[in-house]
Amino acid sequence: MPRTVHVFDHPLIQHKLTLMRRKETSTTSFRRLLNEIGSLMAYEVTREMPTQELEIETPMERMTGRVIDGKKLVFVPILRAGTGLLDGFLSVVPGARVGHIGLYRDPKTLVAIEYYFKMPGGMAERDAIVLDPMLATGHSAVAAVDRLKEANPRSIRFVCLVSCPEGMRAFGHAHPDVPIFTAAIDRQLNDHGYILPGLGDAGDRIFGTK
Ligand code: URA
């Protein structure tokens, strides 16, 4: 297990996740709910971010306020399903930068293969938040964070919607220093690498590609 696992237990997130899991939920509703959950998660996941003092002038007098420390945050969706969380995150932190990691799962081995990687400059002064709705085998998450660590961000957090014990174990083994934020830890993986009870294929449900 990673050193820190944070389960988003906010009733709004749990309610919306349950609606998303239902098989009769349409693509439109699924996408909207994921967006809404993304903004609620962004609020929670940035709760512990370091701040620094800033001298400002109100119309009345000078004062010392607080702002988030360092360069702008970087959100890193894992393509393609991770982009489903991005708009929600950006609605809360509109100035954040966005890096992309493109990985696909080899259908036979379930191993993650990289096809795209692009990060903003100044990573050493940025806190990175990796986004992927499903932490299943953990292969993509582990590969994405392996690759992201080469860019040397100041910190990394991993955010998903649904996880499972197998994915948690694999990720925690590879990256014990990276906290996981998840809305659910489901029962298990099936033989095809899908989470049970899960919500099916997140990418297909977001993009209507089933
Ligand atoms: N990816 C998905 O979209 N769903 C799963 O259940 C597992 C991996």
Side-chain angles (χ1 to χ4, degrees):
M1 281 279 181
R3 215 167 292 143
T4 317
V5 177
H6 176 98
V7 178
F8 297 109
D9 56 1
H10 195 289
L12 280 171
I13 294 182
Q14 292 301 320
H15 179 94
K16 290 174 195 293
L17 171 58
T18 300
L19 299 182
M20 291 179 75
R21 288 181 187 273
R22 298 174 73 176
K23 64 178 180 194
E24 58 272 29
T25 297
S26 67
T27 296
T28 315
S29 301
F30 191 92
R31 200 184 286 153
R32 179 180 46 77
L33 288 161
L34 187 56
N35 240 296
E36 292 167 358
I37 288 181
S39 55
L40 296 166
M41 286 175 158
Y43 181 76
E44 285 286 322
V45 84
T46 50
R47 183 182 287 280
E48 308 289 328
M49 290 273 165
T51 56
Q52 63 183 37
E53 292 188 343
L54 183 68
E55 283 283 318
I56 58 164
E57 228 169 292
T58 77
M60 312 302 289
E61 61 181 34
R62 288 186 74 77
M63 67 162 282
T64 307
R66 302 203 68 81
V67 291
I68 292 191
D69 180 49
K71 278 193 187 284
K72 301 252 181 333
L73 292 177
V74 54
F75 298 142
V76 184
I78 301 179
L79 300 176
R80 73 184 162 144
T83 60
L85 281 165
L86 182 61
D87 283 351
F89 270 74
L90 286 173
S91 70
V92 174
V93 192
R97 301 303 188 240
V98 181
H100 290 90
I101 301 183
L103 297 167
Y104 67 88
R105 291 206 292 179
D106 182 297
K108 287 205 183 79
T109 61
L110 303 183
V111 167
I113 317 256
E114 179 186 316
Y115 62 89
Y116 191 73
F117 184 85
K118 183 89 180 167
M119 292 298 136
M123 287 295 281
E125 293 172 77
R126 297 188 193 278
D127 297 302
I129 301 180
V130 180
L131 309 175
D132 195 0
M134 310 301 278
L135 177 60
T137 59
H139 292 158
S140 322
V142 168
V145 173
D146 277 343
R147 190 65 179 82
L148 183 58
K149 280 183 173 174
E150 290 174 26
N152 202 26
R154 183 169 72 170
S155 72
I156 303 177
R157 293 166 174 78
F158 183 85
V159 174
C160 61
L161 186 59
V162 179
S163 59
C164 60
E166 295 89 334
M168 287 278 187
R169 266 196 300 276
F171 189 86
H173 184 69
H175 298 295
D177 54 319
V178 176
I180 296 183
F181 293 75
T182 184
I185 305 174
D186 276 10
R187 192 179 70 246
Q188 68 181 99
L189 280 185
N190 72 8
D191 293 342
H192 304 284
Y194 280 85
I195 296 175
L196 301 176
L199 48 70
D201 188 300
D204 281 345
R205 297 201 64 186
I206 295 165
F207 299 110
T209 45
K210 187 80 185 147

